[in-house]
Amino acid sequence: MLETVSTPTRSTPFSPPMIFSGLLAAFLAFLIAFHPAYYVLPLTAAVLVLGSLALAARRSLWRPLDREDGYCLAVLALFTALWCLDVARTGKWPVGEENQGLYLPLWPLVAAVVWLGWRRWPPAVSALWYGVAAGSLIAGGIAAYERWGLGLGRASNGINAIPFGNLSLLLATLTMVAFLARRGRVRNAREWLIRGFFLLAVVAGLAASVLSGTRGSWIVFPVLLWLLYVAFWDSLPARKVVPVVVALAVVVIGASLVPKAGVQERVAEAVENLEEYAEGDTYSSVGVRLEMWRAGARLFSEKPVLGWGEGRLEDQRDQWVAKGLYNRGISRYDQLHNDLIDTAARRGLVGLISLLLLYGVPIVLFARHLRRRKDIQGRALAVSGLIVVVAFIGFGLTQSLLRDVRGLSGFLGMLTACWCLLKATPGGGGKGVQA
């Protein structure tokens, strides 16, 4: 697309960049802490974007997109179009847990609207860093209170413990990026205070994930650490990397060994469940999940092109359960606890390709920027985008997190923020106005 000259926007307290900065920071800070945040803040941002773009259109101030934006927006459009067509053919909308996820297939459109606005008026990069740190710190406080104050078995803040633990881990990892991105700054009291805040937030977020008992997040965490290493290895001396790695290991292992944390019990339970499943017992937590995957594989094999569709998947699954082919426990769930299997069974190979593109296109683009960017801010934003996508791929192996309201909202919001901020930095290929 052709570039046009735009008039610089001054960052006043009520200018679009400042308002969007506040919304981004609030979204990240309250995503798992304040229950309505997952839809109130994105919808508010989308409405403000539409209003701002309408005013900008009259003044010829549109910010044109480039080819990379086109690839990402096309993938969002394809994913939501196929999901909506699936709803149209069955007449059933996915509703999510406690009917919170009505109109889930339309949420990528909300993300696309925000994408357009944030490419024109990108939030401040600091909104991303302080937002994830605040969210991580709040999650740790909630988890500690629920686990040790209230004596609950798993910290969850009143939502499903799995997305709570997964998102806490992701916020903590992104906070690590914020910490590492501050290297080379002047060492004064303020800078030491900021770094201490980020480190405390990292510890709190990791502790929240551990106290949630979410086993799936522990599997993907080493991969996320490897991405951090790839992004910063050439500029961080070993004497700085080693203490950070040791500190993280101490936090995770230490929290796992705390008697009331419940981690050892969860690991032992998983091993025991696998042994029971091998002996034919499908009633354990892991056993039920494996039964769902087995049913999903059969569903896909019978309708591999377009899948069964919303609602029809559950109906066919329950018919097989009634015949005694699968454990009755799998009928309690509205998804198959694996994004790839669930999508393949529900929307067939066509839907699976759209999901793989939703993952793959951002990975390729963020990786391309990470390879060519030499500035610390650009590398930090590029690896943050990679971390978001890779984390959700990992989370999606044991939970259909893109059918969870906070999971899908978090994925779309973080993906949009990382990309728009990356493109707004010098060398990102965009000319966004910084707040």
Side-chain angles (χ1 to χ4, degrees), residues 39-247:
Y39 71 90
V40 170
L41 294 171
L43 286 176
T44 301
V47 170
L48 291 175
V49 163
L50 290 174
S52 299
L53 288 176
L55 293 174
R58 290 201 294 268
R59 301 175 189 167
S60 299
L61 295 179
W62 281 88
R63 170 67 57 189
L65 306 176
D66 61 20
R67 185 175 299 176
E68 291 181 331
D69 291 293
Y71 293 148
C72 292
L73 292 173
V75 167
L76 286 176
L78 176 64
F79 186 77
T80 195
L82 290 176
W83 202 349
C84 288
L85 287 173
D86 190 43
V87 170
R89 68 169 171 156
T90 64
K92 293 187 178 181
W93 287 87
V95 296
E97 188 174 358
E98 298 180 358
N99 295 330
Q100 296 183 83
L102 190 62
Y103 306 125
L104 274 174
L106 298 177
W107 288 15
L109 294 182
V110 177
V113 170
V114 176
W115 190 299
L116 294 174
W118 285 6
R119 283 289 280 115
R120 173 63 184 86
W121 299 283
V125 175
S126 59
L128 173 65
W129 301 142
Y130 287 107
V132 295
S136 186
L137 196 60
I138 293 172
I142 292 172
Y145 172 70
E146 289 190 344
R147 193 67 182 87
W148 294 318
L150 301 180
L152 300 182
R154 298 177 65 182
S156 66
N157 194 33
I159 62 177
N160 190 300
I162 296 176
F164 177 84
N166 286 339
L167 291 172
S168 295
L169 180 81
L170 179 54
L171 291 170
T173 307
L174 292 175
T175 306
M176 291 184 213
V177 179
F179 172 79
L180 294 173
R182 300 194 70 85
R183 60 183 171 79
R185 294 176 178 257
V186 177
R187 303 295 181 86
N188 54 33
R190 179 177 179 274
E191 180 60 26
W192 283 114
L193 184 63
I194 293 174
R195 293 188 182 193
F197 169 72
F198 283 147
L199 281 179
L200 179 61
V202 169
V203 172
L206 293 178
S209 181
V210 169
L211 295 176
S212 72
T214 306
R215 294 173 294 211
S217 61
W218 309 339
I219 298 173
V220 74
F221 187 50
V223 181
L224 303 185
L225 290 179
W226 177 78
L227 287 175
L228 285 175
Y229 173 77
V230 169
F232 297 107
W233 73 272
D234 59 342
S235 53
L236 282 179
R239 62 184 177 84
K240 292 185 178 180
V241 174
V242 172
V244 172
V245 172
V246 171

Side-chain angles (χ1 to χ4, degrees), residues 112-373:
V113 170
V114 176
W115 190 299
L116 294 174
W118 285 6
R119 283 289 280 115
R120 173 63 184 86
W121 299 283
V125 175
S126 59
L128 173 65
W129 301 142
Y130 287 107
V132 295
S136 186
L137 196 60
I138 293 172
I142 292 172
Y145 172 70
E146 289 190 344
R147 193 67 182 87
W148 294 318
L150 301 180
L152 300 182
R154 298 177 65 182
S156 66
N157 194 33
I159 62 177
N160 190 300
I162 296 176
F164 177 84
N166 286 339
L167 291 172
S168 295
L169 180 81
L170 179 54
L171 291 170
T173 307
L174 292 175
T175 306
M176 291 184 213
V177 179
F179 172 79
L180 294 173
R182 300 194 70 85
R183 60 183 171 79
R185 294 176 178 257
V186 177
R187 303 295 181 86
N188 54 33
R190 179 177 179 274
E191 180 60 26
W192 283 114
L193 184 63
I194 293 174
R195 293 188 182 193
F197 169 72
F198 283 147
L199 281 179
L200 179 61
V202 169
V203 172
L206 293 178
S209 181
V210 169
L211 295 176
S212 72
T214 306
R215 294 173 294 211
S217 61
W218 309 339
I219 298 173
V220 74
F221 187 50
V223 181
L224 303 185
L225 290 179
W226 177 78
L227 287 175
L228 285 175
Y229 173 77
V230 169
F232 297 107
W233 73 272
D234 59 342
S235 53
L236 282 179
R239 62 184 177 84
K240 292 185 178 180
V241 174
V242 172
V244 172
V245 172
V246 171
L248 291 176
V250 169
V251 170
V252 175
I253 296 174
S256 302
L257 295 177
V258 172
K260 290 187 177 182
V263 174
Q264 298 177 68
E265 290 81 0
R266 293 282 291 166
V267 173
E269 178 187 359
V271 174
E272 183 180 353
N273 289 170
L274 286 172
E275 294 174 348
E276 292 170 348
Y277 188 79
E279 296 171 357
D281 183 359
T282 63
Y283 286 89
S284 64
S285 172
V286 173
V288 170
R289 183 175 272 107
L290 292 173
E291 283 288 276
M292 284 190 278
W293 297 351
R294 189 164 68 91
R298 180 177 177 182
L299 287 164
F300 174 68
S301 67
E302 294 201 2
K303 291 192 176 183
V305 180
L306 297 177
W308 290 84
E310 291 290 341
R312 294 176 184 171
L313 179 151
E314 291 85 351
D315 292 341
Q316 182 59 47
R317 175 202 62 191
D318 292 345
Q319 289 181 28
W320 288 341
V321 168
K323 294 178 180 179
L325 299 178
Y326 298 96
N327 187 303
R328 290 187 175 276
I330 70 175
S331 294
R332 298 198 306 265
Y333 303 96
D334 64 349
Q335 40 97 353
L336 298 178
H337 276 65
N338 182 293
D339 274 318
L340 295 172
I341 294 175
D342 187 276
T343 303
R346 202 176 297 274
R347 297 193 288 281
L349 187 60
V350 174
L352 181 60
I353 290 173
S354 72
L355 176 60
L356 293 175
L357 288 173
L358 184 66
Y359 290 145
V361 170
I363 283 179
V364 170
L365 295 178
F366 279 120
R368 180 188 299 172
H369 279 268
L370 182 60
R371 285 195 303 268
R372 74 185 187 194
R373 297 293 291 270

